[in-house]
């Protein structure tokens, strides 16, 4: 939140964004613009057909193709793909897919290769300088300008095939970005309007996109919201919510977006009492009297599993995660000690509504 006497510092990310139906077909021109002649293409399995089309369109600009994307970016996979990229003399990386494909591309970009991202979900990773890899169940994250894509091609048509469940979960992941951006340490008068606008866009469009996946207006608005949410998070930073999700995801291999969805109402509910007037602005953007309840209702209405226990989190994790996070607590508007983290995690594990 804005510091004393209204002072704040904001660091923007220098990304060229090309948005619109069909813009994926302009990838070759974007690579030429960047002077990239030998790229590695990393594509999610679900985007195989689109990746095949891209391979044909990239022609001589492609030197290597990787299909084996995995969630939470295992360190060995990141190393293997980086080694391959070096061996074939690649001069850039292109990703096509969700946050897992972008995440692998970012891990490779840490070697200095420029990244171009073509996202197909609402994860928003392509807008942030945050990278993450997982070694032996521990997710390590960091911030590095080298992983920021040079160009992002947002083509809403690529999101039409997203099944309702992934649309909902990934959209809730984006909602988590903009809500946490409202209260994170770097939140400022520059990030707040972006985050609130993203909230409005996501809350209005996601329920439509879940039942009408081919609704171009809803898909376009949701993707703009996801982009704004990622930008807001890049400026404001992360806090308690993302910390809990990273520990849970890394330790227990929980599905990333679904974990965000189940946990979010509880973290919002935990912070709401200390946010002052921001709490009301947040509730208006989400569309009802209390943001935490609205977030819970939105996710449930879209058919998401709201109990972390049903997503594979063992009951013993409640104490383990509370102890780990309380030992090095992240910045949060309301201090979170071990006892409060235990009760927050228990409620999320059981899938109760927010306190
Ligand atoms: P994901 O990339 O694993 O995709 C989820 C599922 O959707 C996968 O099964 C995938 O194959 C499928 N899918 C993707 N696009 C599809 C499409 N167009 N049609 C049909 N199916 C499709 O998951 P995600 O939720 O997009 O991203 C999660 C990952 O991103 C996590 O590892 C998380 O840590 C990372 N992330 C990082 C940041 C950051 O700033 N660094 C931000 C958000 C997420």
């Amino acid at each position: 939140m804005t510091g004393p006497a209204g002072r704040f510092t904001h660091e923007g990310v220098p990304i060229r964004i090309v948005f619109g139906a069909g813009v994926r077909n302009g990838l070759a021109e974007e690579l030429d613009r960047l002077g990239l002649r030998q790229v590695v293409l990393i594509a999610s399995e679900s985007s195989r057909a689109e990746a095949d089309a891209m391979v044909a369109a990239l022609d001589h600009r492609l030197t290597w193709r990787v299909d084996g994307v995995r969630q939470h970016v295992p360190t060995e996979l990141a190393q293997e793909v980086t080694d391959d990229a070096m061996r074939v003399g690649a001069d850039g990386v292109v990703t096509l897919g969700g946050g897992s494909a972008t995440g692998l591309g970012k891990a490779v970009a840490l070697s200095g290769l420029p990244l171009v991202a073509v996202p197909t979900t609402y994860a928003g990773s392509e807008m942030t300088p945050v990278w993450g890899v997982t070694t032996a169940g521990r997710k390590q994250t960091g911030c590095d300008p080298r992983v920021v894509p040079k160009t992002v091609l947002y083509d809403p048509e690529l999101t039409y095939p997203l099944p309702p469940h992934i649309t909902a979960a990934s959209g809730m992941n984006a909602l988590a970005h903009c809500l946490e951006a409202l209260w994170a340490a770097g939140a400022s008068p520059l990030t707040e309007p972006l985050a609130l606008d993203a909230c409005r866009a996501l809350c209005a469009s996601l329920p439509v996109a879940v039942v009408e996946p081919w609704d171009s207006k809803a898909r376009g608005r949701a993707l703009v919201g996801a982009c704004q949410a990622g930008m807001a998070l890049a400026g404001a930073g992360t806090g308690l919510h993302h910390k809990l999700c990273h520990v849970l995801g890394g330790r227990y291999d929980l599905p990333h977006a679904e974990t965000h969805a189940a946990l979010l109402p509880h973290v919002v509910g935990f912070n709401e009492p200390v946010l002052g007037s921001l709490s009301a602005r947040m509730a208006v953007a989400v569309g009802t009297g209390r943001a935490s309840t609205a977030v819970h209702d939105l996710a449930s209405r879209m058919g998401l599993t709201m109990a972390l226990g049903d997503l594979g989190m063992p009951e013993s994790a409640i104490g383990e995660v509370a102890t780990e996070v309380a030992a090095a607590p992240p910045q949060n508007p309301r201090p979170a000690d071990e006892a409060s983290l235990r009760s927050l995690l228990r409620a999320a594990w059981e899938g109760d509504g927010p306190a």
Side-chain angles (χ1 to χ4, degrees), residues 29-202:
E29 288 72 33
E30 290 296 330
L31 296 187
D32 291 346
R33 200 178 162 274
L34 292 165
L36 300 180
R37 295 189 185 85
Q38 297 264 283
V39 299
V40 175
L41 172 65
I42 297 174
S44 297
E45 187 56 41
S46 52
S47 300
R48 185 175 277 277
E50 279 300 339
D52 288 345
M54 240 169 218
V55 167
L58 290 182
D59 193 18
H60 59 275
R61 299 170 189 85
L62 184 75
T63 177
W64 191 252
R65 175 172 169 176
V66 179
D67 292 311
V69 170
R70 284 174 47 206
Q71 228 202 176
H72 302 306
V73 192
T75 304
E76 318 78 63
L77 178 64
Q79 192 55 57
E80 185 188 317
V81 177
T82 305
D83 290 347
D84 285 339
M86 295 302 147
R87 185 173 47 77
V88 298
D91 62 2
V93 192
V94 174
T95 57
L96 170 69
S100 299
T102 312
L104 181 55
K106 283 174 147 184
V108 177
L110 274 173
S111 67
L113 291 181
L115 175 64
V116 172
V118 188
T120 63
T121 68
Y122 305 124
S125 171
E126 64 285 347
M127 282 296 123
T128 81
V130 180
W131 56 268
V133 293
T134 304
T135 315
R138 207 160 254 276
K139 192 156 187 173
Q140 180 198 354
T141 58
C143 234
D144 194 307
R146 285 176 299 178
V147 308
V148 173
K150 300 288 175 238
T151 302
V152 177
L153 300 182
Y154 279 112
D155 190 333
E157 286 180 355
L158 291 171
T159 64
Y160 294 177
L162 275 179
H165 163 77
I166 298 179
T167 297
S170 178
M172 291 301 295
N173 186 188
L175 192 60
H177 295 337
C178 42
L179 289 175
E180 185 135 273
L182 288 171
W183 63 62
S188 76
L190 301 183
T191 53
E192 185 179 313
L194 199 57
L196 291 175
D197 203 42
C199 281
R200 282 188 286 273
L202 293 164

